[in-house]
Amino acid sequence: MDLFLAILPAIFWGSIILLNVKIGGGPYSQTLGTTIGALLFSTVVYFIAHPQLTPTIFVVGVVSGMFWALGQSSQYKSIQYIGVSKTMPISTGLQIVTITLVGVLAFHEWNSKTTIILGVTAIILILCGIIFTSYDNKTSEDENKALKKGIITLLISTVGYVGYAAIGRVFGVVGWSALFPQAIGMVIGGIIITYKHKPYNKHALYNIFPGLFWAAGNMFLFISQPKVGVAISFSLSQTGVVISTLGGIFLLKEKKTKRQLMFIGLGIILIVIGVVCLGIAKK
């Protein structure tokens, strides 16, 4: 039962992008709807759990959530350029590598030879996985331009996600106490990012549902961590990339050659192995 709880974040987070794309509406309606959904869920959880909420927790949480909105909206934009099956493994890999390096350099997380070896190995595997998943043996000039735009957009997305994770870590604002103020920051960030694009339509309303999924995944991550440990819960939560990548290919019908499928499969395996190694290094 504990492992099942730990797998739920991957299931929820891996499904979000698939739901967003199926619902449609473009990156701005998707961003606004998702953030509103996260706020609705987090508000209910707040009044049930009554976590501590100090001025510092509130301000840091809001700023952290605004960074998340930047990361998520940029991820949605990248999907328009290169599709789900390329966006998600590249995005996940960049997030994991960057957040890990921030943890090592700023918080000295690797403090033994074993963790250094495991961590460096993990980063190499994840980077190789990113390269494999973005492999395309025959591309037109337009496809190459789209790939460049997608990667640049994902670098911006990574800055947002790293800010989301790092700011809370710096001020010790994590877990249940951060959930509600972060959701407020997500909505504020979503409004700022999207207001020029008039996202207030039925698609924004429908995209509230994926936002509920995101917040549910976050909640189950907090629940599972004390039961199975941070290392296992972290590793399992990141495997949602398998769901989103394969879902992009088989559910959203993104066209791939047999060679591309082979490289994508190999890339996913390398990323997952790298994530497991990082999980072990976190112990």
Side-chain angles (χ1 to χ4, degrees):
M1 185 62 181
D2 290 345
L3 282 176
F4 174 71
L5 289 173
I7 292 172
L8 286 177
I11 295 173
F12 281 112
W13 290 343
S15 304
I16 291 171
I17 291 295
L18 304 178
L19 289 171
N20 287 130
V21 174
K22 276 292 185 182
I23 291 169
Y28 300 107
S29 294
Q30 290 166 345
T31 298
L32 184 64
T34 301
T35 57
I36 292 173
L39 178 59
L40 291 175
F41 191 100
S42 301
T43 301
V44 173
V45 171
Y46 173 76
F47 283 109
I48 293 174
H50 297 290
Q52 180 186 22
L53 192 59
T54 65
T56 299
I57 291 173
F58 185 82
V59 172
V60 172
V62 168
V63 174
S64 172
M66 291 174 70
F67 269 99
W68 184 91
L70 172 64
Q72 192 73 6
S73 63
S74 299
Q75 191 180 82
Y76 289 147
K77 290 177 186 176
S78 175
I79 289 170
Q80 291 190 318
Y81 298 128
I82 59 177
V84 172
S85 57
K86 276 190 178 181
T87 290
M88 294 314 296
I90 295 173
S91 179
T92 302
L94 288 173
Q95 289 174 54
I96 293 170
V97 169
T98 309
I99 291 172
T100 298
L101 290 176
V102 169
V104 172
L105 297 175
F107 303 107
H108 310 289
E109 290 183 348
W110 297 349
N111 50 18
S112 70
K113 289 183 179 180
T114 302
T115 56
I116 291 173
I117 292 171
L118 280 170
V120 171
T121 301
I123 288 177
I124 292 172
L125 288 171
I126 292 169
L127 290 175
C128 289
I130 292 172
I131 293 170
F132 282 133
T133 54
S134 60
Y135 169 82
D136 199 341
N137 57 329
K138 293 181 180 180
T139 55
S140 65
E141 185 177 345
D142 289 341
E143 288 172 329
N144 284 328
K145 288 180 179 178
L147 180 60
K148 289 178 182 178
K149 287 181 179 179
I151 291 176
I152 291 171
T153 306
L154 285 178
L155 290 174
I156 297 171
S157 174
T158 302
V159 171
Y161 284 128
V162 171
Y164 161 73
I167 290 173
R169 179 76 183 275
V170 168
F171 291 91
V173 178
V174 294
W176 290 102
S177 61
L179 195 61
F180 180 58
Q182 280 179 339
I184 294 174
M186 290 172 189
V187 172
I188 294 172
I191 292 171
I192 292 172
I193 291 168
T194 65
Y195 82 98
K196 287 185 178 180
H197 303 274
K198 300 179 180 179
Y200 306 100
N201 51 46
K202 65 178 182 180
H203 294 292
L205 184 64
Y206 297 154
N207 274 288
I208 289 174
F209 188 58
L212 299 174
F213 262 53
W214 180 87
N218 215 25
M219 181 188 70
F220 282 115
L221 180 67
F222 295 150
I223 292 173
S224 66
Q225 283 179 344
K227 296 179 181 295
V228 300
V230 173
I232 294 176
S233 63
F234 166 80
S235 299
L236 290 176
S237 70
Q238 299 304 310
T239 58
V241 66
V242 177
I243 297 173
S244 55
T245 303
L246 296 181
I249 296 170
F250 296 109
L251 296 179
L252 303 179
K253 308 298 183 182
E254 295 181 352
K255 293 182 179 180
K256 302 292 178 183
T257 64
K258 290 183 178 180
R259 191 175 181 85
Q260 286 175 315
L261 288 173
M262 181 185 70
F263 275 92
I264 287 171
L266 181 57
I268 290 173
I269 291 170
L270 291 175
I271 290 173
V272 171
I273 294 173
V275 168
V276 172
C277 289
L278 281 180
I280 297 171
K282 282 178 173 285
K283 287 186 176 180

